[in-house]
Amino acid sequence: MTSQHDKATRFHALHVPGTPLALANAWDGASARIVASTGAPAVATTSAGVAWGLGAADGGHLDRERAVALIRRVVDTVEVPVTADIEDGFGPDADAVAETVAQVIAAGAIGVNIEDGPRDPAELAARITAARKAADNAGIPLFVNARIDVFLFGLGAEQDRLGETLARAERYLAAGASGVFVPGVAAPETIAELVKGIDAPLNVMVGPGAPTVAELAALGVARVSLGAAVAEAAYGLVRRAAEELAKSGTYTAVEGGLPYPELNGLMS
């Protein structure tokens, strides 16, 4: 079996500007195995999908114990490297984040996403430093993907967001981040400026209406994530099927699903 250290090294190598690692984020063992079955070289979890699947809201409402248990389940389900979205680190301070990262590594993950949100950038920088120290102590070259939420949350004046994002990226990389994740951007000219101004692999979040992977590759993007979109689509199907069954007594919404033998075979 491939060692965790080797998986981490391989995952770093998958981040190539112009040849982006494309990740359809999973949220449980089944979705992770389905993603891996398509030939994906790695699996990334979505914190929103993980929280929803465990009956909690995204954004700091899921406790560390259940989150880590889910990460372990995903790691145990697939052979490819697994990177985990750990929201803000599941803790009130940097020391707590270090403990989270230690547990996530013990669960078998080789990467984490950690986000700043509306907090002072200095706080995320401290959390990243703590995460890096925990990874070094474990002997794993963890890929720490620093998520910058300036565009996603519309922080500050619109004309200042690019500059603020670039300043945060520089700070987080100095603190020990391996890459930078900037969700909420779709304009090619903005993405090009981010690629130019960030001295690390750039990850962007995609969905309907966003540039294609090929277009993002041409801009120099190194990683593309669907984020919560796959989980949202799956749960949208659940609602459509339930509403159709209740209102009309028909079942067309569930057409096109994975056949039972195929899905059951993937889980065998």
Side-chain angles (χ1 to χ4, degrees):
M1 294 181 66
T2 305
S3 73
Q4 186 178 6
H5 189 284
D6 288 346
K7 285 182 177 180
T9 301
R10 188 197 323 163
F11 187 69
H12 276 267
L14 291 171
H15 292 75
V16 180
T19 310
L21 170 63
L23 297 169
N25 301 70
W27 63 95
D28 62 7
S31 60
R33 187 163 288 180
I34 291 167
V35 169
S37 75
T38 68
V43 166
T45 66
T46 158
S47 66
V50 166
W52 297 334
L54 294 172
D58 187 30
H61 298 279
L62 184 64
D63 61 272
R64 177 202 286 158
E65 182 179 6
R66 288 195 294 165
V68 172
L70 188 283
I71 292 165
R72 185 182 302 278
R73 191 172 303 133
V74 169
V75 169
D76 289 346
T77 302
V78 298
E79 294 294 329
V80 297
V82 173
T83 183
D85 189 330
I86 60 171
E87 299 189 21
D88 65 358
F90 298 116
D93 53 30
D95 288 342
V97 172
E99 177 58 29
T100 296
V101 170
Q103 291 187 27
V104 167
I105 291 172
I110 49 71
V112 295
N113 277 16
I114 185 166
E115 62 202 44
D116 55 14
R119 66 172 47 85
D120 189 305
E123 188 173 344
L124 182 59
R127 289 169 181 243
I128 290 170
T129 297
R132 176 59 61 206
K133 183 176 180 181
D136 290 344
N137 289 341
I140 298 297
L142 189 75
F143 194 102
V144 179
N145 204 26
R147 195 182 95 176
I148 300 175
D149 289 330
V150 172
F151 283 97
L152 184 65
F153 291 173
L155 302 177
E158 184 174 359
Q159 67 270 19
D160 297 332
R161 289 173 191 159
L162 176 60
E164 176 63 19
T165 298
L166 293 174
R168 292 189 185 202
E170 183 177 5
R171 184 170 197 166
Y172 298 158
L173 291 171
S178 312
V180 174
F181 180 24
V182 185
V185 292
E189 58 273 17
T190 302
I191 294 171
E193 288 298 319
L194 290 169
V195 169
K196 179 180 177 181
I198 295 174
D199 189 22
L202 176 67
N203 180 191
V204 298
M205 187 162 65
V206 295
T212 66
V213 172
E215 290 168 338
L216 293 169
L219 294 172
V221 171
R223 178 165 160 181
V224 173
S225 305
L226 279 169
V230 181
E232 289 170 340
Y235 291 130
L237 172 58
V238 173
R239 184 163 71 178
R240 290 193 300 274
E243 287 179 342
E244 181 186 4
L245 181 64
K247 293 177 180 178
S248 65
T250 55
Y251 332 107
T252 59
V254 296
E255 292 175 354
L258 278 175
Y260 177 93
E262 182 180 351
L263 184 54
N264 202 48
L266 281 174
M267 303 305 143
S268 299

